[in-house]
Amino acid sequence: MTEGEPSYIDYETFLDPDFSPAAFANALVTSTNNANDTPLDLATPLSRVLFDLQEIDTHIHNLTTKSALPLLAHTQDQASAAQRILKEVEDQVASLTDGYQRLEREVLRKWESAEEARVASENSWAALRLARAVGRCITLGRQLEGQLAEVTGRGTGKEDHRAMVRASNTLLMLRQMFSATGDGEEGQGLDRVKVIRTLRSDLVIPAENTVKARAQQVINRFSLSSLSADDVGGGTTARANGARSPPPASSTFAQTEETKAKLSSAITTLYLLSPTPKTAITATQFQPELLLSTLQGYIHNSLTSSLSSLSRGLAMMPNLDRALAEVSARCQDLAALEALLATFKTPVHPCLTYDKQGAEQKNGNNNPENILQLLLRALDTSSLPSYFWRSLASSLPSRVQEILTRGGASARALRSNRDRLRTDLRECVLRGSQLPSTIGKGRSGGEPVLVGNWEREAAVMVSSVVGVLGR
């Protein structure tokens, strides 16, 4: 509506954003009718609405007629402006399309070629790295084969115990390569190579078992006892004190040093070949299970053999001297083993991590941890001879009781020789607790050396036999 033109239509009501047709119709009906009348007159409000619509339509027609030319000119201007904008946009889109196509030609396709080259180079590098690892494994396998021949004496007829340590280090290097699983590690992917699987099954595993068996054999055959071979059961005239004239000094000393060297090689070999956990641990946390189980087996065999010999000697008194000499000899071997283990430092293990103290040991400095401490901690004892006598004494009462239960001459001989048993058992403990002469004084030809006080162990042994006889 033009300004100043009168109108009875309330345009503001219709132009209100909150205008509601339903509310407007309801207000129009209620204003033209009585709310109490039952029949409603809708003709009047309808006529009013129609009249309003006609008036509005007429007003719109008049406005349109008057403003047609300006509206057309404005519309034409808008259309031409839109055409110009569209043309500019199309030009820009075409330019962007050309730029993208140029980038695709100059960058994307080159990048695809470069990516193919990168993948090819990575595969080539992986193949080269795997080939190098395979070559190193083959080289280590040949080295291990030669070392195994030295260990077993194949070809030369002479075994070299030092080759066990060299073979152990080679086996550790092969074990590290076979267990590599992380990205970038040297041995990654070796399990997929057939020749490596064959090398592992046909050479590495049998060689490891052979080296372990040789090292365990050295420990199980360890003996440095100063007692006579005749007293240990090889002769018919066994003496009660278990002593013999030693062989020539130079020969005995050379044999002793060779035995020490063999034991050191066997200890180092079993320490290195003991299973290591998958998680990284320090050297102080490592427990060489293979070494400890072998040493414990050696001690257990000594106890079992000693118990059997002493049981036969108690059952047949004429053989008691020889049985006591055997027991003393085995305990002397344990005393010698304890003295040697105390001098063996834990070897440097390439698969373990070392703290500051371990690093000093790695550089050649002394480390208070030695093989003996590991063994004593595993056995929960302070001394191997003490452990031997106390374990033997704990098993003797049942054997003596069996002899007494069977009765006969054996039981009577035991009861009648109670004083002799007390003396002989005490001497057996003191004699067996001595260090062999080659250990105690560094050269053969001297007397065995008694280190420490063993009266308590002697009393325990005497009580385990004589105490049962007194019941």
Side-chain angles (χ1 to χ4, degrees):
M1 184 179 78
T2 314
E3 266 186 40
E5 183 179 350
S7 175
Y8 69 91
I9 298 177
D10 186 6
Y11 286 102
E12 302 215 353
T13 300
F14 293 107
L15 295 175
D16 189 355
D18 297 330
F19 174 76
S20 172
F24 178 78
N26 184 62
L28 189 59
V29 171
T30 55
S31 64
T32 57
N33 285 276
N34 188 356
N36 296 323
D37 293 341
T38 301
L40 295 176
D41 181 14
L42 298 180
T44 301
L46 181 59
S47 298
R48 182 174 176 180
V49 171
L50 291 175
F51 184 80
D52 289 345
L53 288 175
Q54 185 179 0
E55 181 68 18
I56 293 172
D57 182 62
T58 301
H59 185 64
I60 292 174
H61 178 72
N62 292 335
L63 289 175
T64 305
T65 302
K66 291 178 181 179
S67 305
L69 292 177
L71 287 175
L72 290 175
H74 178 72
T75 302
Q76 187 177 4
D77 292 341
Q78 292 292 326
S80 61
Q83 288 295 330
R84 289 194 302 270
I85 293 173
L86 179 61
K87 185 176 182 303
E88 291 294 331
V89 170
E90 288 178 348
D91 292 342
Q92 293 296 328
V93 170
S95 177
L96 287 175
T97 303
D98 292 340
Y100 175 78
Q101 291 175 351
R102 185 173 65 255
L103 287 175
E104 185 179 10
R105 288 192 306 269
E106 297 179 358
V107 178
L108 184 60
R109 292 177 185 175
K110 291 182 179 180
W111 178 84
E112 291 175 350
S113 301
E115 181 67 14
E116 292 178 359
R118 185 188 65 82
V119 173
S121 63
E122 284 185 354
N123 293 337
S124 176
W125 168 246
L128 177 61
R129 185 176 57 190
L130 184 60
R132 286 178 177 175
V134 171
R136 185 162 185 260
C137 285
I138 297 298
T139 302
L140 290 174
R142 290 176 180 173
Q143 178 178 315
L144 177 63
E145 197 172 15
Q147 292 166 345
L148 188 62
E150 295 177 0
V151 170
T152 58
R154 187 172 64 247
T156 60
K158 183 179 179 181
E159 299 180 5
D160 184 4
H161 60 86
R162 286 174 291 272
M164 291 191 299
V165 180
R166 298 194 294 271
S168 300
N169 286 303
T170 304
L171 287 168
L172 282 181
M173 287 188 284
L174 286 168
R175 185 187 293 178
Q176 285 180 310
M177 296 194 68
F178 292 154
S179 62
T181 57
D183 293 338
E185 294 187 13
E186 184 180 8
Q188 183 185 6
L190 281 176
D191 55 340
R192 301 196 302 268
V193 182
K194 183 178 180 181
V195 67
I196 296 300
R197 295 198 298 268
T198 304
L199 175 71
R200 186 175 185 178
S201 60
D202 293 353
L203 175 63
V204 177
I205 294 178
E208 184 172 351
N209 293 334
T210 300
V211 173
K212 287 179 182 178
R214 291 282 173 164
Q216 290 172 334
Q217 188 180 64
V218 169
I219 292 178
N220 291 331
R221 291 181 177 179
F222 171 76
S223 178
L224 284 179
S225 173
S226 301
L227 300 181
S228 167
D230 293 338
D231 291 334
V232 179
T236 56
T237 59
R239 295 172 56 186
N241 58 6
R244 69 175 175 90
S245 300
S250 59
S251 173
T252 303
F253 179 74
Q255 293 175 357
T256 300
E257 293 302 311
E258 179 67 14
T259 301
K260 292 178 183 178
K262 283 185 177 181
L263 180 65
S264 177
S265 298
I267 293 292
T268 303
T269 298
L270 294 179
Y271 183 91
L272 293 175
L273 293 182
S274 295
T276 54
K278 295 181 179 179
T279 56
I281 61 172
T282 61
T284 55
Q285 297 172 327
F286 177 59
Q287 292 296 319
E289 296 178 2
L290 181 61
L291 172 60
L292 295 179
S293 63
T294 302
L295 292 173
Q296 290 173 350
Y298 173 78
I299 297 172
H300 177 74
N301 291 337
S302 297
L303 282 170
T304 303
S305 301
S306 299
L307 181 61
S308 299
S309 300
L310 197 53
S311 298
R312 290 193 300 269
L314 292 173
M316 300 179 63
M317 290 298 293
N319 296 330
L320 180 61
D321 290 340
R322 182 169 58 183
L324 292 174
E326 289 182 15
V327 175
S328 297
R330 291 193 178 94
C331 188
Q332 266 199 12
D333 288 335
L334 287 181
L337 178 64
E338 181 180 63
L340 292 178
L341 291 180
T343 63
F344 294 159
K345 302 299 181 183
T346 53
V348 176
H349 201 299
C351 298
L352 302 178
T353 58
Y354 288 83
D355 52 16
K356 183 177 179 181
Q357 185 179 16
E360 292 178 356
Q361 181 204 12
K362 206 170 182 180
N363 294 330
N365 296 333
N366 291 330
N367 185 358
E369 185 77 355
N370 55 46
I371 302 298
L372 178 61
Q373 291 175 339
L374 294 176
L375 179 59
L376 295 180
R377 190 159 52 240
L379 294 174
D380 193 19
T381 185
S382 59
S383 169
L384 294 185
S386 176
Y387 179 82
F388 175 82
W389 293 123
R390 291 177 183 274
S391 299
L392 185 61
S394 65
S395 303
L396 276 176
S398 60
R399 300 296 181 96
V400 176
Q401 189 62 48
E402 288 178 6
I403 298 173
L404 297 178
T405 302
R406 287 197 302 266
S410 298
R412 290 194 298 272
L414 280 178
R415 289 191 173 95
S416 60
N417 288 279
R418 184 179 305 171
D419 294 336
R420 177 195 168 188
L421 285 173
R422 182 179 288 107
T423 302
D424 288 350
L425 287 172
R426 182 178 179 278
E427 291 180 355
C428 174
V429 172
L430 298 180
R431 185 170 58 244
S433 302
Q434 296 172 346
L435 280 176
S437 57
T438 52
I439 299 294
K441 292 192 175 183
R443 297 282 299 183
S444 61
E447 293 296 328
V449 179
L450 183 63
V451 179
N453 186 359
W454 300 98
E455 292 295 338
R456 185 183 298 272
E457 281 71 17
V460 171
M461 280 292 294
V462 171
S463 176
S464 65
V465 177
V466 178
V468 178
L469 298 177
R471 296 175 186 171

